């Protein structure tokens, strides 16, 4: 009977995938591992899991205690993404360690990790590796002002109503940018985040009245709790993007993805979790470089090596993925660098006409190479919060001019040419005056008298 129940719940979570042949909308694959405390617990997240299957993902719902679960086999990923909804589990799968999850991310895998007030040590260590430090075990996020209000006096002040950060525009939908957007309801544990970490994006944080304290039996009481974290630094949901563009979401609440909150009419949990999962699973805000080129402005050809002070043209094509298709990426801050230890040139590229305007945007720059020979790196290193990183490099040799390629006369040396010419003319004039000038009459008369 237990086996039949397991099969039934797994079939429920995968029902969307069997309704027809649907291609995944993610640019990084469709295989998703979902870890829950027990397979039966997947019913609590049926709406969230159904949204994944309807978007073309192939879900594998497994119990966290299943010892056959692995992320990689012989160093090769067997899943493209993983969703961990079992924060209390001390062990996951085949004794998966923090190193195993970190290796999964290093290999390009994406993760959604949900926590709770009973978060295990394994989850804490993994989050700390990405700059996310969860509060102590048994604590909860509390807000006596912004919370889900009930009709009677049974309001739960640990069910916090939070407004997503407007700074996460590439991640969230336009509705969250509105001044009167619906709140996102959150019930769980808080975490600290480092604003100085450029790879971390706090998308959901506390307000001025939010704090983290021990989860008392009656959180509605305005007693004097031991507050360890309060205000804006209370992190609720944070996103991390690695240098290899793998993405990880850290949520302090498993209830955030539950049917109870997703179906709440007053909240925006359904749209929020959809936006977060689309971003993590690489269905939106994915940048790519489709082509780049550089050549001499005079000939339109790319030589084997350039000469100092050559005038060249650099072009790069960029696309962004969203709404199930590639679109041209429009920006005004794409920069080109010519580097030899330090940047010798850093200039902003301008938008130009693209050969494929439906999918790519072309940026170009007219660049004069430095008057310095050596091995340079032509680089476009574009990193913006929420978007995947674009880092394009070309190693290029810049040679000095040959002996017969220098100009006959250097304009910078004209003052020296003029000085030399004036000196020569002056010397000749002085010699002519000395040789052909006559002696004074008084001096000749004195000579005659002496004789």
């Amino acid at each position: 009977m237990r086996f039949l129940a397991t099969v039934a719940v797994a079939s429920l979570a995968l029902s969307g995938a069997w309704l027809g042949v649907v291609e995944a909308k993610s640019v990084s694959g469709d295989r998703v591992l979902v870890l829950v405390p027990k397979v039966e617990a997947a019913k609590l997240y049926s709406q969230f899991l159904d949204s994944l299957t309807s978007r073309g993902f192939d879900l594998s719902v497994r119990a966290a205690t299943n010892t056959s679960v692995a992320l990689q086999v012989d160093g090769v990923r067997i899943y493209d993404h993983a969703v961990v909804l079992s924060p209390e589990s001390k062990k996951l799968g085949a004794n998966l360690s923090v190193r195993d999850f970190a290796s999964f991310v290093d290999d390009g895998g994406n993760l959604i990790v949900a926590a709770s007030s009973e978060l295990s040590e394994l989850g804490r260590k993994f989050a700390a590796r990405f700059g996310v430090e969860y509060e102590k075990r048994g604590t909860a996020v509390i807000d006596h002002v912004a919370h889900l209000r009930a009709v009677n006096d049974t309001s739960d002040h640990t069910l916090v109503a939070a407004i997503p950060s407007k700074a996460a525009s590439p991640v969230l939908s336009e509705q969250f940018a509105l001044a009167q957007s619906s709140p996102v309801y959150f019930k769980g544990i808080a975490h600290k985040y480092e604003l100085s970490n450029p790879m971390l994006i706090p998308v959901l944080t506390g307000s001025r009245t939010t704090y983290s304290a021990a989860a008392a039996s009656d959180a509605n009481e305005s007693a004097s709790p031991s507050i360890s974290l309060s205000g804006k630094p209370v992190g609720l949901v944070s996103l991390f993007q690695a240098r290899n563009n793998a993405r990880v979401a850290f949520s302090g609440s498993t209830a955030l993805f539950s049917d109870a909150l997703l179906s709440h009419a007053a909240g925006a949990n359904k749209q929020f979790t959809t936006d977060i999962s689309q971003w993590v699973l690489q269905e939106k805000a994915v940048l790519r470089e489709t082509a780049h080129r550089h050549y001499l402005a005079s000939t339109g050809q790319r030589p084997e090596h350039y000469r100092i002070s050559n005038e060249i043209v650099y072009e790069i094509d960029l696309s962004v993925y969203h709404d199930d298709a590639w679109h041209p990426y429009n920006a005004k801050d794409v920069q080109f660098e010519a580097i030899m230890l330090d940047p010798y040139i850093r200039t902003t590229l301008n938008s130009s006409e693209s050969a494929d305007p439906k999918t790519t945007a072309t940026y170009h720059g007219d660049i004069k190479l430095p008057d310095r020979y050596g091995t340079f790196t032509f680089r476009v290193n574009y990193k913006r919060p929420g978007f995947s990183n674009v880092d394009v490099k070309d190693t290029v040799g810049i040679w000095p001019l040959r002996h017969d390629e220098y100009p006959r006369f250097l304009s910078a040396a004209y003052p020296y040419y003029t000085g030399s010419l004036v000196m020569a003319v002056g010397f000749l004039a002085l010699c002519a005056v000395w040789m052909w000038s006559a002696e004074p009459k008084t001096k000749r008369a004195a000579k005659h008298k002496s004789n």
Side-chain angles (χ1 to χ4, degrees), residues 381-395:
N381 186 18
Y382 191 79
K383 297 179 180 178
R384 296 298 179 270
F387 290 105
S388 51
N389 304 323
V390 174
D391 193 1
V392 180
K393 298 179 182 178
D394 280 336
T395 302

Side-chain angles (χ1 to χ4, degrees), residues 133-213:
E133 182 181 351
Y134 281 102
E135 287 286 272
K136 294 181 180 180
R137 187 183 181 93
T139 60
V141 179
I142 303 172
D143 196 319
H144 299 296
V145 177
H147 57 269
L148 180 60
R149 301 182 184 276
V151 177
N152 49 27
D153 295 332
T154 60
S155 299
D156 186 1
H157 292 194
T158 61
L159 194 52
V160 176
I163 302 299
S165 172
K166 293 180 174 58
S169 56
V171 179
L172 302 178
S173 302
E174 294 181 358
Q175 73 175 65
F176 292 109
L178 301 176
Q180 301 296 329
S181 61
S182 300
V184 174
Y185 292 114
F186 178 96
K187 184 180 179 66
I189 191 172
H191 63 261
K192 300 176 184 177
Y193 57 90
E194 298 179 5
L195 285 174
S196 59
N197 188 345
M199 295 183 286
L200 200 63
I201 308 173
V203 292
L204 193 65
T205 60
S207 63
R208 292 181 299 174
T209 56
T210 307
Y211 65 91
S212 174

